[in-house]
Amino acid sequence: MKITIHKINEERMEDYLAFFEKGNQCFCCSWTSNEFNGENFERIEARKNYAVTSIKNRKLQGYLAYEQGKVIGWCNTNEKNQCVQCEGWRQILTSVHQEPSQKVKSIFCFYVHPEYQKMGVASKLLERIIIDAREEGFDILEAYPDKSFNELYQEFMGPQQLYHNFGFEALYEIDEKIVVRKLL
């Protein structure tokens, strides 16, 4: 299986929308800004419209994984200080340390099509994120996996082992999450 990874942008927006329309339909909007709240998140069309706007204005950032021209996976990642007031933070992480003097890229969400899970798609996405974060001048990559494995759907922030395999180290715990970090 040959997997290619591409950053989300307007040219790839239709691929992104089709992937989420056929999948879990969340459109990964809760990590874009504090404008998108829980009420809007309940409506699929509102999530989709917000995703379109957020891709166009570059608030929604991340990567698409393709196999033979078909999107098979997604990872939402963005500059941490752009997202600490996002709905996702308020729902999942009650507090998180901020580093005002360092440029931190956060990894928020993985979604791999069920037919392609456990086939290395998330690893390919993470590999590309690390390369790009270095090139873009980030000091740190940070992610927030669950302390313990519940079920694949709940592991949308990625399993701990994925990050461990790429040299991330556990820093501290918040609620049911572990903050893991990789210096670049």
Side-chain angles (χ1 to χ4, degrees):
M1 179 166 70
K2 183 175 178 349
I3 299 169
T4 58
I5 308 296
H6 299 279
K7 280 187 176 182
I8 186 66
N9 56 32
E10 282 191 63
E11 291 78 35
R12 298 195 179 277
M13 184 168 51
E14 292 304 319
D15 293 346
Y16 170 89
L17 296 173
F19 177 67
F20 278 100
E21 285 171 342
K22 293 175 188 170
N24 69 6
Q25 298 183 334
C26 79
F27 294 99
C28 214
C29 293
S30 61
W31 300 106
T32 55
S33 81
N34 60 353
E35 300 162 9
F36 195 79
N37 61 43
E39 290 175 29
N40 292 335
F41 194 74
E42 297 301 318
R43 296 182 17 248
I44 293 170
E45 197 61 31
R47 291 193 303 267
K48 180 180 176 182
N49 291 339
Y50 192 78
V52 168
T53 301
S54 296
I55 291 168
K56 287 180 179 179
N57 66 24
R58 297 187 181 144
K59 282 185 180 180
L60 194 151
Q61 297 182 24
Y63 294 82
L64 294 166
Y66 290 79
E67 201 261 333
Q68 295 184 1
K70 172 184 168 186
V71 177
I72 60 170
W74 160 255
C75 183
N76 187 322
T77 181
N78 203 336
E79 193 168 335
K80 182 178 180 179
N81 70 6
Q82 297 294 314
C83 299
V84 293
Q85 298 302 315
C86 294
E87 181 69 14
W89 284 112
R90 293 190 300 256
Q91 289 178 6
I92 296 168
L93 299 168
T94 55
S95 66
V96 67
H97 302 140
Q98 293 188 46
E99 295 74 26
S101 63
Q102 294 181 303
K103 192 173 177 184
V104 180
K105 183 169 215 146
S106 289
I107 300 167
F108 299 113
C109 181
F110 284 93
Y111 178 62
V112 177
H113 187 281
E115 291 178 24
Y116 295 90
Q117 292 173 357
K118 305 245 183 226
M119 297 177 81
V121 176
S123 292
K124 289 287 190 187
L125 285 160
L126 185 53
E127 185 176 85
R128 174 68 184 271
I129 292 164
I130 292 168
I131 291 167
D132 286 359
R134 281 188 180 121
E135 289 177 2
E136 294 165 3
F138 283 91
D139 302 307
I140 297 168
L141 267 176
E142 193 170 272
Y144 319 94
D146 287 339
K147 287 183 199 176
S148 60
F149 183 82
N150 296 310
E151 61 180 74
L152 200 54
Y153 180 74
Q154 293 295 324
E155 296 293 323
F156 65 90
M157 290 184 142
Q160 287 183 52
Q161 188 61 44
L162 171 66
Y163 299 108
H164 178 74
N165 292 346
F166 283 89
F168 284 70
E169 295 182 11
L171 288 182
Y172 57 91
E173 297 179 5
I174 300 174
D175 305 321
E176 296 301 315
K177 303 286 184 188
I178 296 175
V179 176
V180 296
R181 193 176 257 193
K182 179 177 182 67
L183 300 177
L184 299 174

